[in-house]
Amino acid sequence: RIKNQRHSYPIKLKIAQLSTTNLMSHFSKIKTKLKEKEPLISALNQLGYTIDTEDKFVKGYNGQFTSVDISLDLSGNTKAGFKWNQSSNSFELVTDIDLWKFDLPIERFISKITQLYAYNTILLKTKEDGYQLVEEKNQNDGSIELVLTKWDS
């Protein structure tokens, strides 16, 4: 007997107030809930951001540098990156907020990445569990609804 299971996974994210701390004089690290590298890199690629695989650092005020695990060159000469934080078990966005000249505010930048990160994570995890994507709907409120199916025997 074959049974079809359909599940709908709406992706709605609310970004909490950003928590920042100084790394060095002008660098800030912004906490996220991004825990896996692959879906994060996929989200960055899908949004069209260039990941710098050679130079894993962020340049800040007065020529200061700090190392990161994933480095990005954004428009407006803005450098940003993601660094793994062992204590929070997640990536943090690292940038010099005073030099942020990118066309998106930091909150919106993180929100867009987080939504695609969640999207990629759901597809990856459900595929591992035998589900297939049947339908994807972009909602008026900006959320994405996914309909997945799995055939059990």
Side-chain angles (χ1 to χ4, degrees), residues 60-79:
Y61 177 76
N62 230 7
Q64 294 177 342
F65 294 92
T66 188
S67 66
V68 292
D69 298 301
I70 302 168
S71 178
L72 304 168
D73 290 319
L74 305 173
S75 63
N77 269 345
T78 301
K79 283 285 273 185

mmCIF file of all heavy atoms in Angstrom, residues 60-79:
data_model
loop_
_atom_site.group_PDB
_atom_site.id
_atom_site.type_symbol
_atom_site.label_atom_id
_atom_site.label_comp_id
_atom_site.label_asym_id
_atom_site.label_seq_id
_atom_site.Cartn_x
_atom_site.Cartn_y
_atom_site.Cartn_z
ATOM 1 N N GLY A 60 38.705 47.005 7.911
ATOM 2 C CA GLY A 60 37.927 48.044 8.568
ATOM 3 C C GLY A 60 38.639 49.378 8.575
ATOM 4 O O GLY A 60 39.551 49.638 7.787
ATOM 5 N N TYR A 61 38.215 50.221 9.474
ATOM 6 C CA TYR A 61 38.727 51.571 9.629
ATOM 7 C C TYR A 61 40.238 51.569 9.840
ATOM 8 O O TYR A 61 40.777 50.715 10.532
ATOM 9 C CB TYR A 61 38.021 52.227 10.821
ATOM 10 C CG TYR A 61 38.505 53.608 11.143
ATOM 11 C CD1 TYR A 61 38.126 54.697 10.364
ATOM 12 C CD2 TYR A 61 39.352 53.826 12.222
ATOM 13 C CE1 TYR A 61 38.575 55.971 10.652
ATOM 14 C CE2 TYR A 61 39.804 55.089 12.521
ATOM 15 C CZ TYR A 61 39.415 56.159 11.732
ATOM 16 O OH TYR A 61 39.856 57.416 12.022
ATOM 17 N N ASN A 62 40.899 52.528 9.213
ATOM 18 C CA ASN A 62 42.330 52.733 9.390
ATOM 19 C C ASN A 62 43.162 51.517 8.960
ATOM 20 O O ASN A 62 44.234 51.277 9.515
ATOM 21 C CB ASN A 62 42.628 53.093 10.846
ATOM 22 C CG ASN A 62 43.500 54.317 10.953
ATOM 23 O OD1 ASN A 62 43.790 54.975 9.954
ATOM 24 N ND2 ASN A 62 43.911 54.623 12.164
ATOM 25 N N GLY A 63 42.631 50.723 8.020
ATOM 26 C CA GLY A 63 43.382 49.589 7.502
ATOM 27 C C GLY A 63 43.462 48.396 8.427
ATOM 28 O O GLY A 63 44.271 47.496 8.211
ATOM 29 N N GLN A 64 42.644 48.371 9.472
ATOM 30 C CA GLN A 64 42.655 47.222 10.383
ATOM 31 C C GLN A 64 41.987 46.024 9.712
ATOM 32 O O GLN A 64 41.103 46.172 8.878
ATOM 33 C CB GLN A 64 41.914 47.558 11.669
ATOM 34 C CG GLN A 64 42.587 48.612 12.500
ATOM 35 C CD GLN A 64 41.759 48.937 13.732
ATOM 36 O OE1 GLN A 64 40.578 48.648 13.799
ATOM 37 N NE2 GLN A 64 42.400 49.551 14.712
ATOM 38 N N PHE A 65 42.419 44.832 10.089
ATOM 39 C CA PHE A 65 41.872 43.595 9.548
ATOM 40 C C PHE A 65 41.463 42.682 10.684
ATOM 41 O O PHE A 65 42.043 42.714 11.760
ATOM 42 C CB PHE A 65 42.919 42.852 8.706
ATOM 43 C CG PHE A 65 43.316 43.587 7.459
ATOM 44 C CD1 PHE A 65 44.405 44.450 7.467
ATOM 45 C CD2 PHE A 65 42.615 43.404 6.280
ATOM 46 C CE1 PHE A 65 44.786 45.119 6.319
ATOM 47 C CE2 PHE A 65 42.977 44.069 5.128
ATOM 48 C CZ PHE A 65 44.063 44.929 5.144
ATOM 49 N N THR A 66 40.456 41.837 10.417
ATOM 50 C CA THR A 66 40.121 40.749 11.325
ATOM 51 C C THR A 66 39.753 39.543 10.476
ATOM 52 O O THR A 66 39.196 39.676 9.384
ATOM 53 C CB THR A 66 38.977 41.128 12.295
ATOM 54 O OG1 THR A 66 38.842 40.098 13.271
ATOM 55 C CG2 THR A 66 37.658 41.345 11.582
ATOM 56 N N SER A 67 40.101 38.354 10.940
ATOM 57 C CA SER A 67 39.866 37.138 10.154
ATOM 58 C C SER A 67 38.412 36.688 10.280
ATOM 59 O O SER A 67 37.760 36.908 11.305
ATOM 60 C CB SER A 67 40.808 36.025 10.582
ATOM 61 O OG SER A 67 40.515 35.636 11.903
ATOM 62 N N VAL A 68 37.922 36.058 9.209
ATOM 63 C CA VAL A 68 36.580 35.487 9.169
ATOM 64 C C VAL A 68 36.653 34.144 8.449
ATOM 65 O O VAL A 68 37.659 33.827 7.818
ATOM 66 C CB VAL A 68 35.575 36.426 8.449
ATOM 67 C CG1 VAL A 68 35.331 37.700 9.254
ATOM 68 C CG2 VAL A 68 36.036 36.763 7.050
ATOM 69 N N ASP A 69 35.590 33.368 8.528
ATOM 70 C CA ASP A 69 35.537 32.082 7.836
ATOM 71 C C ASP A 69 34.993 32.217 6.420
ATOM 72 O O ASP A 69 35.348 31.465 5.529
ATOM 73 C CB ASP A 69 34.677 31.095 8.630
ATOM 74 C CG ASP A 69 35.268 30.831 10.005
ATOM 75 O OD1 ASP A 69 36.419 30.367 10.064
ATOM 76 O OD2 ASP A 69 34.593 31.096 11.012
ATOM 77 N N ILE A 70 34.088 33.182 6.224
ATOM 78 C CA ILE A 70 33.494 33.458 4.917
ATOM 79 C C ILE A 70 33.580 34.961 4.705
ATOM 80 O O ILE A 70 33.037 35.731 5.488
ATOM 81 C CB ILE A 70 32.020 33.014 4.863
ATOM 82 C CG1 ILE A 70 31.888 31.520 5.170
ATOM 83 C CG2 ILE A 70 31.390 33.343 3.513
ATOM 84 C CD1 ILE A 70 30.462 31.067 5.430
ATOM 85 N N SER A 71 34.268 35.379 3.656
ATOM 86 C CA SER A 71 34.484 36.803 3.384
ATOM 87 C C SER A 71 33.669 37.241 2.168
ATOM 88 O O SER A 71 33.595 36.520 1.175
ATOM 89 C CB SER A 71 35.971 37.050 3.131
ATOM 90 O OG SER A 71 36.208 38.400 2.831
ATOM 91 N N LEU A 72 33.067 38.424 2.258
ATOM 92 C CA LEU A 72 32.237 38.971 1.182
ATOM 93 C C LEU A 72 32.709 40.356 0.795
ATOM 94 O O LEU A 72 33.025 41.172 1.661
ATOM 95 C CB LEU A 72 30.778 39.111 1.635
ATOM 96 C CG LEU A 72 30.069 37.881 2.150
ATOM 97 C CD1 LEU A 72 28.767 38.279 2.807
ATOM 98 C CD2 LEU A 72 29.808 36.936 1.014
ATOM 99 N N ASP A 73 32.719 40.613 -0.511
ATOM 100 C CA ASP A 73 32.929 41.964 -1.019
ATOM 101 C C ASP A 73 31.574 42.474 -1.469
ATOM 102 O O ASP A 73 30.996 41.948 -2.426
ATOM 103 C CB ASP A 73 33.910 41.960 -2.204
ATOM 104 C CG ASP A 73 35.324 41.646 -1.770
ATOM 105 O OD1 ASP A 73 35.747 42.153 -0.720
ATOM 106 O OD2 ASP A 73 36.001 40.882 -2.487
ATOM 107 N N LEU A 74 31.040 43.462 -0.785
ATOM 108 C CA LEU A 74 29.744 44.021 -1.127
ATOM 109 C C LEU A 74 29.947 45.335 -1.865
ATOM 110 O O LEU A 74 31.027 45.916 -1.828
ATOM 111 C CB LEU A 74 28.915 44.240 0.144
ATOM 112 C CG LEU A 74 28.725 43.005 1.025
ATOM 113 C CD1 LEU A 74 28.041 43.376 2.326
ATOM 114 C CD2 LEU A 74 27.933 41.941 0.289
ATOM 115 N N SER A 75 28.896 45.815 -2.519
ATOM 116 C CA SER A 75 29.023 47.081 -3.239
ATOM 117 C C SER A 75 29.268 48.221 -2.250
ATOM 118 O O SER A 75 29.035 48.089 -1.055
ATOM 119 C CB SER A 75 27.764 47.342 -4.065
ATOM 120 O OG SER A 75 26.643 47.483 -3.227
ATOM 121 N N GLY A 76 29.736 49.337 -2.770
ATOM 122 C CA GLY A 76 30.047 50.478 -1.911
ATOM 123 C C GLY A 76 31.317 50.274 -1.112
ATOM 124 O O GLY A 76 31.497 50.867 -0.057
ATOM 125 N N ASN A 77 32.200 49.396 -1.585
ATOM 126 C CA ASN A 77 33.456 49.089 -0.891
ATOM 127 C C ASN A 77 33.242 48.545 0.523
ATOM 128 O O ASN A 77 34.080 48.724 1.395
ATOM 129 C CB ASN A 77 34.379 50.304 -0.840
ATOM 130 C CG ASN A 77 35.296 50.344 -2.033
ATOM 131 O OD1 ASN A 77 35.441 49.355 -2.751
ATOM 132 N ND2 ASN A 77 35.901 51.494 -2.259
ATOM 133 N N THR A 78 32.111 47.920 0.743
ATOM 134 C CA THR A 78 31.812 47.356 2.060
ATOM 135 C C THR A 78 32.353 45.933 2.126
ATOM 136 O O THR A 78 32.111 45.126 1.242
ATOM 137 C CB THR A 78 30.287 47.344 2.313
ATOM 138 O OG1 THR A 78 29.806 48.684 2.240
ATOM 139 C CG2 THR A 78 29.958 46.763 3.669
ATOM 140 N N LYS A 79 33.122 45.652 3.174
ATOM 141 C CA LYS A 79 33.616 44.299 3.438
ATOM 142 C C LYS A 79 32.840 43.748 4.629
ATOM 143 O O LYS A 79 32.612 44.445 5.614
ATOM 144 C CB LYS A 79 35.103 44.308 3.775
ATOM 145 C CG LYS A 79 36.037 44.479 2.603
ATOM 146 C CD LYS A 79 36.156 43.238 1.764
ATOM 147 C CE LYS A 79 37.217 42.301 2.287
ATOM 148 N NZ LYS A 79 37.430 41.137 1.435
#
